[in-house]
Each structure stands twice: as structure tokens, then as C-alpha cells.
Amino acid sequence: MLMVLFSWLVIGTAAYIYGRTIVDGIYRHDLQTMGKTDVYVVTGIVFLNVYAEFFSLFYKVAGIACTLLGAAGIAIVLLYIVRRKRCITDSQITIRGSLVKYRRQMIVGVLCLFFTLVWTTREPWHYDTGLYHAQAIRWIEEYGVVPGLGNLQMRLAYNSAFMSLQALFSLGWLVGQSMHSLNGFFCFAALTWAFTTIRVRSTEERKAWQTSDLLKVAMVIYIVLMRNTISSCGTDILSMLLLLYISAKWCEAAEREEKSLNPWCFCCLLGVYAVTVKLSAAMLVLLVIYPAFKLLKEKEYKKILGNLLTGIVIALPFLIRNVIISGYLIYPYSGIDLFSVDWKMDKAILEMDRQDITMFGRGITNADDYGKTLVEWLPEWFLSKEWNDKVIIICGVAAAIVVCWQLIRYLRRRNYEKFVFLAVSIGGLLFWMVSAPLMRYGEVYFFVLIAIALGEWQYRYRDRALMLLVAVLLVPLMAIYVSGVKELPQLEAKYLVRQPDYLAWPASMYEVDGEYIWLPDSGDQVGYAAFPNTSSGKQLKALILRGDSLKDGFRHGREREPRKVE
């Protein structure tokens, strides 16, 4: 537990320092709007992730990457202290005043920290963590990026940007084990931001319980629903929290009738980053339509170029890693086939994996049913869900109908910022449904639409019953979240200091071109310790090393029977 807290301190400090440096440098003339703690932290996370991805292109992401980052961070802090003109006395008065002014927020932050810390100090039981998450992180920790890694195990070609960030802050080189605390940090930060910024009372500047507030409530609901996977290193939590955060920030800007385009551009850049975390967030990129239209209309070509280059910098390392790992620009879409490299994955494996993802999302187990139309598979998909998921789906569909009506109304009124947001929200839901509608991949799209529909109702009618309903809903949910404390006495004493390590499954070793590869004895999970491994015996048979060592990568070849090492 103490190790998790230490890792959060490292993550939060690094994110704030670099985020503030970037935001204060870029938006120095608009700090009243952009100079917020949440903007600093989120910007810092994006920078750190891009840094880790670029670093992985040249070297492993471990001690040296962290040392360089830490040294630069210390230099930034020292430079800030030297350049600061305020005297120590004034600083002490400011700090003392801030402690009094923000004591409620601090209490909320401490409570969120403690309860999220409890959920994070657990074994990472998420199925995909044992399947490939842990292995993907270890490859980055030990080698950076390896050509043709997808030929070893096709799921390693998913290449979420989050895995590079996880490798950067796993801190195995420092604490003796690879930590998996990032999702916990994101949940803690999101809960703190949501609870400290929800407006429960109207002011002269802003009405309470608008759409942005309801989106923050949705953020809390989502975290409670995902509480059992907070200790894992899966990509779902970050991508869905980004979707909710971007939606809430966009609505905040619309509600205060923001004139500056910087908040809108910030949301669009975050949308680009969200896509590198998980492709199910792809529709967020279309948010760029609104600020691009406004910037072109105002002939702000420098801002257009600056935001375009920033977006390219965010996406570039992700795309480069895709090509190196799989040979394709976007995995698993073989239609975008631009590169002829010897480590390119077999197209048949790509198509099989894409089909499996779709079938898994739709709840289809028979490959012959893959060609079913929407009308054929949708009822079966719905009926296979748990009752709580069915409630979310029904409410989400009803909200989608209301949002479509609002969409037309905003278009007629030429309220383009809301029109674009609503269109992207509907588009995101449709994209998720036709691609891979597994609930954890995109249930938040339903949350967003429900929040939009209820937010419009609340704005127009100021319905106290709605506010009461939200309050009644949050109380039992937070009680569920707090209930994690009851597991504290069951923790082993060592876990009060350390975080439980990755799980492991029985596996056997096979020799391939002088190197040893692990294969699970049953099922497809292995974990972190047995490295390197593959979950596919078929891929192992067709595996060929490109050179004399693992860092040279892998390519696909003719099948042969690997030798089992006894």
C-alpha cells in the first residue's frame, strides 16, 4: 500500500510539473481559462506518455528513462524557484490562506485517495492482464519496441499507448517488482476532480446541475462499477475516463459560453491521445470540426498549424510503434497496408483477430454466425446481458432518441459547438456498436448520452426531483466503494507496504532458434514472470527469430514443431 502511495506521488508530481510547464508556456495569455490543476495534470500525463513512447523507440523504458525525466523535472523546479519574485512571507500567507479556502476540497481528496488506495492494493485479476497486458509492459521495460512482436503473440500488436506509460511508472528497477498502480491514480484523480468541481448550488455565473455536472456524476458511477479492475493495468479505464473528462470539459466551455478557442482545442488534442490509448475512442477525433471551422473563419493559421503539429506529435510514436510491432499502421486493420517489411504479420492472423474481437463483443461464439446482420445478432446480444447492463442499455437508447432530437434543434439554431458534441456522442455509440460492443469497451457512451438528455431537461425545467434522484443514486454507490475497506484486515502484512504482484499460471518452455519461449499448459494466460511467452501454439510453430537475440524481433514463417524443454 505504501509503495502504491509512493508511486502515485511520483506520477502526480511529474505530471503536475511537466503539465504546468507546458500549459503556462503555451497558454500564458489565457491562464485564467487554462491554468487549472486538472488541465496541468492531464497535460502532464499526455506528455509523459508521448515521452515514454518515443523513448521506447530507441531504448528500454526503465531506470534511465525515469532518471532523465526526474533530472529535467528537478531542473524545472529549481528554475521556477530562482525566477520567482515573491518573498517567502507572502508565499506562507498564500499557502495558509489556500489551506483555509480549500479545506473541503482537501478533505474530499484525502478520502478519495484512501478508498482508491484500498482498491488498488489488490491482485490484478483482470483476465487480459494475465493474457497479454503484463507481457506487453515487460517487453517495453526490457527492450522498448521489438520488430514483429505481434508474430510472437498477436495481442501484443494492440499497442495501446497506455502500456508505455505503465512501463515508465512500473518502477521495477527501483522497488524490485513491476507495479500496476496507474489505473488507481487515474481513478483517484478523476474522483477528486469530479467531487470538487460539481456545482450543487447555482451562482450568478453558472447554474447548478448542468450537463457537465451530470457527466462528472457519470464518472463517479463508472469508477464504482469498475472498482474490481482498478488494480489491473488494462486500457479500458483510462480511455473511458478520458471520454468522460473530454465530454465534461467540452460542456463546461459551452455552458459558460467560452469565447476563447483554447479549451475546445485542448479537448480535441485529448481526443487524439484517447485514440492512441484505445481505438474505440476514435470518434472523438471528429470534435476537431468545431474549433477548426472557427479558426479558419478567424484566419488563425498559426493556431491551426500549432494544434495540427501537436496532434501529430501525440499520434506519431503510436503509429511508428504499430508499424514496428505488426508491420501495419493500424492493427488489426489490414486494409491500411502501406509498408513492406519482413516482420509483417500474416494477414490471415490479422483478419482472424479482428473477427474474434467483433464476435466477442457481440457475444457470438460460432464463427459461422459472424455474418449475421444487426437485426439478427442485436436481440441475442441484449438478452445475454446482466440486468444492470440491460437497464443501462435501455436508458441509453431512450437518451439517444432525445439527443437526436436535440441535435436537429441545435443545428437549426446554429449552435455548432453543441451540435458537434452531440453528433460525436451519437457517432461514438454507433461506432462501438458496429465494431465490438463489449460493455467495458464502450458503456460510457450510454452514460454520456444519458447525462446529455438529463442535463438538457434540468437546464430547462430546474427539476428538483432530478437532483434528489442523483443524490439518492450516489449514496449507495459510494457506500459500495467505501466497503472495500472491510478487506483491509484480510490483507497480508507485507501488502500494507508492497502491492500484490502479478499472478502466474503453469507454463512450459519451448526452444525456438536458440531462444526459449513459454507457452501455457492450459488456456491462454501466463502472466508477467514467464517471459517471453505466447498464448498461441499456432503462432509459436510459425515463429522465426530475425536475428541472434530477442531484441532483433520476430517474423512469420513456415510452421514447424518447436522443441519442448523438459
Side-chain angles (χ1 to χ4, degrees):
M1 188 175 285
L2 292 178
M3 279 174 49
V4 174
L5 188 60
F6 168 72
S7 71
W8 286 2
L9 181 63
V10 172
I11 297 165
T13 302
Y16 184 83
I17 290 173
Y18 284 101
R20 181 161 189 169
T21 302
I22 293 169
V23 171
D24 288 359
I26 296 176
Y27 303 111
R28 57 184 176 276
H29 301 304
D30 194 18
L31 288 181
Q32 186 174 0
T33 301
M34 301 301 295
K36 311 293 183 182
T37 302
D38 62 290
V39 176
Y40 290 149
V41 173
V42 172
T43 301
I45 289 294
V46 175
F47 167 79
L48 293 169
N49 204 153
V50 173
Y51 164 80
E53 288 182 281
F54 271 119
F55 200 94
S56 73
L57 299 178
F58 305 99
Y59 197 62
K60 62 182 180 181
V61 182
I64 294 177
C66 291
T67 301
L68 293 175
L69 198 65
I74 292 172
I76 291 172
V77 172
L78 292 176
L79 182 63
Y80 172 77
I81 293 174
V82 170
R83 295 181 61 182
R84 193 173 184 184
K85 297 180 181 180
R86 297 175 183 175
C87 64
I88 298 176
T89 304
D90 290 339
S91 299
Q92 292 174 342
I93 294 173
T94 301
I95 294 172
R96 200 177 299 120
S98 298
L99 291 175
V100 174
K101 183 179 179 181
Y102 297 109
R103 61 179 180 272
R104 290 184 180 179
Q105 289 89 330
M106 293 176 65
I107 293 172
V108 170
V110 170
L111 291 175
C112 291
L113 183 146
F114 174 71
F115 294 120
T116 308
L117 191 64
V118 171
W119 287 105
T120 309
T121 310
R122 304 177 72 185
E123 292 180 337
W125 65 267
H126 192 290
Y127 191 92
D128 286 351
T129 295
L131 180 60
Y132 75 95
H133 291 160
Q135 284 288 301
I137 292 166
R138 186 163 179 181
W139 274 105
I140 299 171
E141 290 172 340
E142 299 199 12
Y143 292 97
V145 65
V146 173
L149 189 59
N151 289 310
L152 174 65
Q153 183 183 159
M154 58 187 175
R155 294 176 182 87
L156 294 176
Y158 291 163
N159 180 39
S160 168
F162 175 75
M163 295 306 173
S164 295
L165 185 65
Q166 176 68 47
L168 182 66
F169 289 113
S170 63
L171 304 179
W173 59 275
L174 182 63
V175 299
Q177 73 175 69
S178 183
M179 298 188 63
H180 39 91
S181 60
L182 262 177
N183 276 328
F185 174 80
F186 296 141
C187 290
F188 153 64
L191 284 174
T192 303
W193 177 72
F195 280 124
T196 56
T197 58
I198 289 177
R199 298 290 183 92
V200 295
R201 293 181 180 178
S202 297
T203 63
E204 294 181 0
E205 299 177 353
R206 184 181 180 279
K207 294 180 180 179
W209 290 111
Q210 295 193 54
T211 304
S212 61
D213 299 310
L214 293 169
L215 284 165
K216 294 168 187 176
V217 171
M219 184 176 285
V220 174
I221 294 172
Y222 175 74
I223 291 173
V224 174
L225 292 177
M226 298 298 291
R227 64 192 180 279
N228 289 316
T229 62
I230 287 176
S231 61
S232 78
C233 47
T235 59
D236 300 319
I237 289 179
L238 176 57
S239 61
M240 295 298 102
L241 287 181
L242 282 170
L243 171 58
L244 287 167
Y245 178 77
I246 292 168
S247 300
K249 295 296 284 187
W250 189 281
C251 289
E252 279 185 343
E255 289 159 3
R256 66 173 180 263
E257 298 180 350
E258 181 63 55
K259 302 301 180 184
S260 170
L261 286 174
N262 288 329
W264 314 99
C265 294
F266 174 70
C267 289
C268 294
L269 292 173
L270 280 184
V272 175
Y273 171 62
V275 176
T276 68
V277 175
K278 203 170 188 70
L279 292 177
S280 59
M283 294 300 292
L284 287 175
V285 175
L286 296 181
L287 287 173
V288 74
I289 293 173
Y290 173 69
F293 169 76
K294 296 287 288 186
L295 288 172
L296 285 171
K297 187 178 179 180
E298 297 173 9
K299 298 181 179 180
E300 294 279 0
Y301 300 121
K302 287 185 178 180
K303 285 188 176 181
I304 293 174
L305 181 61
N307 283 286
L308 179 62
L309 290 176
T310 304
I312 291 173
V313 169
I314 292 172
L316 187 60
F318 167 73
L319 297 175
I320 295 174
R321 282 180 53 85
N322 274 343
V323 175
I324 295 176
I325 292 174
S326 68
Y328 295 89
L329 193 65
I330 302 292
Y331 182 91
Y333 299 98
S334 59
I336 309 176
D337 189 356
L338 306 176
F339 304 94
S340 179
V341 290
D342 68 283
W343 64 78
K344 182 182 293 185
M345 293 177 64
D346 183 25
K347 185 175 291 188
I349 293 178
L350 229 72
E351 294 299 329
M352 180 191 69
D353 196 19
R354 184 171 62 84
Q355 179 176 318
D356 286 346
I357 293 171
T358 303
M359 289 173 57
F360 186 62
R362 295 177 182 177
I364 298 173
T365 56
N366 188 351
D368 295 334
D369 295 333
Y370 176 72
K372 282 186 175 181
T373 63
L374 179 69
V375 177
E376 292 174 327
W377 65 259
L378 190 58
E380 297 177 7
W381 171 82
F382 176 76
L383 292 173
S384 67
K385 302 302 176 188
E386 300 290 338
W387 69 267
N388 55 324
D389 287 337
K390 289 178 181 177
V391 171
I392 293 172
I393 294 169
I394 292 171
C395 293
V397 171
I401 296 172
V402 175
V403 171
C404 286
W405 174 76
Q406 293 172 340
L407 191 69
I408 298 172
R409 186 161 58 90
Y410 283 130
L411 181 61
R412 288 176 177 174
R413 294 181 180 182
R414 297 184 179 181
N415 190 335
Y416 296 123
E417 67 269 24
K418 289 189 176 181
F419 170 78
V420 170
F421 173 65
L422 266 59
V424 168
S425 299
I426 292 290
L429 176 66
L430 295 175
F431 177 77
W432 168 64
M433 286 296 298
V434 300
S435 55
L438 191 66
M439 289 300 287
R440 65 181 174 86
Y441 290 170
E443 63 183 324
V444 165
Y445 285 112
F446 286 128
F447 293 174
V448 171
L449 294 174
I450 294 170
I452 293 171
L454 293 179
E456 288 293 322
W457 174 273
Q458 180 66 13
Y459 180 79
R460 296 180 67 181
Y461 300 106
R462 312 309 304 162
D463 193 346
R464 292 181 179 272
L466 176 60
M467 292 186 283
L468 180 62
L469 176 63
V470 172
V472 169
L473 179 64
L474 280 180
V475 170
L477 283 172
M478 292 315 299
I480 293 173
Y481 200 67
V482 170
S483 68
V485 176
K486 67 183 181 182
E487 296 186 12
L488 275 177
Q490 302 174 15
L491 284 178
E492 297 181 33
K494 62 180 180 180
Y495 292 145
L496 295 176
V497 177
R498 307 183 70 84
Q499 185 182 35
D501 208 345
Y502 288 105
L503 300 175
W505 288 263
S508 299
M509 188 182 295
Y510 291 80
E511 188 271 332
V512 177
D513 295 343
E515 295 288 348
Y516 299 104
I517 311 293
W518 293 88
L519 183 70
D521 292 340
S522 62
D524 51 11
Q525 292 176 292
V526 176
Y528 180 90
F531 178 85
N533 75 51
T534 178
S535 61
S536 172
K538 185 176 181 180
Q539 280 193 281
L540 182 64
K541 291 179 181 179
L543 190 67
I544 299 176
L545 265 66
R546 296 182 62 249
D548 299 327
S549 65
L550 295 174
K551 67 180 179 181
D552 295 318
F554 310 91
R555 61 187 178 89
H556 179 84
R558 188 174 60 184
E559 287 193 9
R560 54 183 174 170
E561 197 64 37
R563 183 178 66 86
K564 185 175 182 179
V565 179
E566 300 297 337

